[in-house]
Amino acid sequence: MESSVAAVSAWLRACSQEFDRRVEELNELDRILGDGDHGTNMQRGFAAAGALDFGAQATAADALRQVGMALVKVVGGASGPLFGTFLLRTGAAWPTPLTVAGIHGALDVGLHGVMTRGKAERGDKTIVDALAPVVDSLAASAAAGLPLAEALTAAALAGEAGRDATAPMLARRGRAALKADRSIGVIDPGAVSMSIIVSTGAHHLG
């Protein structure tokens, strides 16, 4: 599929629907590790993003950057700046036309933006642990010459595996680190949200 505003807007609206559906699941995870409002914050942020006039955006990169700015403004806590930074940085590097290597490059920029903003590394039990495997998967798919749809599906599965792998980790960053003794055995809600964004993207962009 071409790197169109329509494809990106469909992706982001699908994210909004998925956060509507899973708001309580995310809040429940966050009640254990944080303030209990991660799902509500993500739901509110993507509802605001879904209300944006994407028709006014000339490119998909512009649309992604607009959503990133909306998340920074609307989503509370640490999630707004982190997810907003991810979309702002990813949007700034978004490829036209879409290629596996191009999407890898854009998400890699987004990953490093998140790591810098949140001062998080792999294994800290954060959204990085869901996003980094996605970037790794896309790099491998680009090297292997896989078709876009196949590469995106593999990347989404890698993100879900990374999400699940946060369960046994000890939280080292954010509010979850303040409850580190309770964090083992619980999936990080931010990692769940990142996997939602990647999975819906794989469906709509591939």
Side-chain angles (χ1 to χ4, degrees):
M1 177 179 283
E2 64 179 352
S3 177
S4 66
V5 175
V8 170
S9 64
W11 166 25
L12 297 169
R13 293 186 201 284
C15 284
S16 180
Q17 294 170 356
E18 193 68 3
F19 283 119
D20 281 343
R21 188 176 72 84
R22 299 178 67 174
V23 58
E24 287 305 322
E25 170 195 346
L26 292 166
N27 281 345
E28 183 57 35
L29 288 172
D30 197 43
R31 287 186 188 103
I32 301 171
L33 297 179
D35 293 333
D37 59 359
H38 177 75
T40 301
N41 286 337
M42 296 300 292
Q43 179 189 42
R44 183 171 63 245
F46 273 89
L52 295 171
D53 180 12
F54 291 112
Q57 304 305 310
T59 67
D62 290 336
L64 284 167
R65 289 196 296 269
Q66 187 182 27
V67 172
M69 289 187 287
L71 293 184
V72 170
K73 292 178 182 178
V74 175
V75 178
S79 295
L82 289 174
F83 283 95
T85 294
F86 166 65
L87 288 172
L88 282 166
R89 297 290 181 86
T90 297
W94 196 249
T96 303
L98 283 183
T99 64
V100 177
I103 294 177
H104 165 260
L107 292 186
D108 190 44
V109 170
L111 169 63
H112 283 87
V114 168
M115 293 175 74
T116 300
R117 185 67 183 258
K119 297 180 174 58
E121 301 290 338
R122 297 182 190 226
D124 283 345
K125 199 182 182 91
T126 70
I127 65 176
V128 168
D129 294 301
L131 181 56
V134 171
V135 173
D136 291 345
S137 176
L138 287 168
S141 292
L146 294 185
L148 181 61
E150 186 176 343
L152 290 175
T153 297
L157 291 173
E160 292 169 2
R163 170 202 67 197
D164 294 344
T166 65
M169 294 177 182
L170 182 72
R172 296 191 180 96
R173 290 292 173 190
R175 289 190 177 276
L178 301 176
K179 301 179 179 180
D181 58 328
R182 299 170 56 188
S183 68
I184 295 177
V186 180
I187 293 175
D188 179 68
V192 176
S193 290
M194 181 57 74
S195 72
I196 288 172
I197 292 170
V198 172
S199 294
T200 54
H203 178 73
H204 287 277
L205 299 175

